[in-house]
Amino acid sequence: MPSIQQSILFLKQFITENRFQRFEDILNNRTKHITVVLEDIFQGHNASAVLRSCDCFGIQDIHFIENNYEFTINEDVSMGAYQWLSVHQYNSKGKNNTIECLTKLKNQGYKILATTPHAKALRIDEIDTSHKTAILFGTEKEGLSNQAIQMADESVYIPMYGFTESFNISVSAALVLYEITKKIRSNGLLEYPLSIQEKEEILLAWIKKSVRNADALLSRM
């Protein structure tokens, strides 16, 4: 099989130069320093809206924990964001997928921040972005599971000043991502960019999504 670099060079001829440049420009603003974790989100439109926000704010990885509910996509809401993100699903039957997901992230060096509507936590503008950070969101009614809360390193909240106790989860994710990505960008430059290898892997995946029968073409290369 050809290397990643060889595959990119070969498949590049099947897309326009403008599209290839667009991929590179977006990759320069992507990060894995921040990631999003959704636990048992059963509303497909809300999960899809979070995907869209991740793409818009340059977050490459999103993790779906599926203990009780399956992750579903609403294409009208996600606006195609799913295909440009690295989506990780944890849905093993008979296992606690929350433990599996959060343990994996901790082993990768991520600090786990659990979102909560209660003010006995860090405000979102107080988040320390010098650490690799995973932001954990739960369902709107039940919130996060006890397991998720116990495994979190800290809790964070969004200040609110009305009668309603919490924002819609997609709104919460957008607000948190705006605040936290603002901190890791300076003068339009990303403080924690993707590595060269990460960029190449994602670029190849994006090109393959844009070229019909890409794998067949590569096999004949």
Side-chain angles (χ1 to χ4, degrees):
M1 288 294 291
S3 68
I4 291 178
Q5 294 93 337
Q6 290 171 329
S7 298
I8 290 171
L9 288 173
F10 176 72
L11 291 178
K12 182 181 176 182
Q13 65 184 304
F14 299 103
I15 62 175
T16 66
E17 186 59 37
N18 284 341
R19 189 167 184 81
F20 185 81
Q21 187 60 53
R22 177 68 170 154
F23 285 162
E24 289 196 317
D25 290 344
I26 291 174
L27 280 171
N28 287 333
N29 282 288
R30 277 292 209 251
T31 185
K32 287 177 177 256
H33 187 75
I34 308 298
T35 190
V36 169
V37 184
L38 301 184
E39 184 187 43
D40 276 333
I41 305 300
F42 58 86
Q43 307 99 330
H45 61 284
N46 280 336
S48 300
V50 176
L51 284 171
R52 186 172 173 179
S53 292
C54 285
D55 180 50
C56 289
F57 286 113
I59 306 300
Q60 183 60 34
D61 287 343
I62 184 166
H63 303 259
F64 286 93
I65 298 171
E66 303 170 57
N67 287 317
N68 301 307
Y69 302 103
E70 265 186 49
F71 160 61
T72 57
I73 283 286
N74 184 316
E75 289 292 351
D76 291 336
V77 177
S78 73
M79 298 292 288
Y82 181 88
Q83 63 182 320
W84 309 119
L85 301 174
S86 300
V87 177
H88 309 270
Q89 293 175 257
Y90 303 82
N91 50 21
S92 300
K93 292 187 177 181
K95 289 187 178 181
N96 188 318
N97 294 295
T98 297
I99 294 176
E100 181 184 353
C101 174
L102 299 187
T103 299
K104 178 181 177 181
L105 289 172
K106 283 176 177 284
N107 290 338
Q108 292 175 350
Y110 283 93
K111 184 176 182 179
I112 311 297
L113 299 185
T115 54
T116 173
H118 307 298
K120 293 181 180 179
L122 289 174
R123 291 195 316 270
I124 57 172
D125 59 309
E126 297 174 325
I127 295 173
D128 180 3
T129 58
S130 65
H131 303 281
K132 291 173 66 177
T133 304
I135 311 293
L136 182 55
F137 298 91
T139 61
E140 290 181 21
K141 290 184 178 180
E142 291 82 11
L144 292 166
S145 67
N146 290 333
Q147 184 68 61
I149 293 171
Q150 289 170 11
M151 292 186 70
D153 298 295
E154 288 184 295
S155 295
V156 296
Y157 77 101
I158 303 169
M160 290 175 287
Y161 307 99
F163 291 106
T164 309
E165 186 181 51
S166 63
F167 288 104
N168 174 287
I169 183 176
S170 58
V171 174
S172 295
L175 290 170
V176 173
L177 290 179
Y178 170 76
E179 190 66 41
I180 199 168
T181 56
K182 182 173 66 172
K183 283 192 172 186
I184 64 171
R185 295 175 190 274
S186 175
N187 297 321
L189 300 176
L190 192 65
E191 187 178 0
Y192 300 101
L194 297 172
S195 68
I196 293 175
Q197 181 179 345
E198 288 170 337
K199 284 183 179 181
E200 289 177 343
E201 290 172 351
I202 296 168
L203 178 58
L204 177 58
W206 288 357
I207 294 175
K208 289 172 72 173
K209 291 178 186 295
S210 303
V211 176
R212 188 176 180 181
N213 298 322
D215 287 325
L217 290 170
L218 287 173
S219 69
R220 295 198 298 269
M221 177 180 167

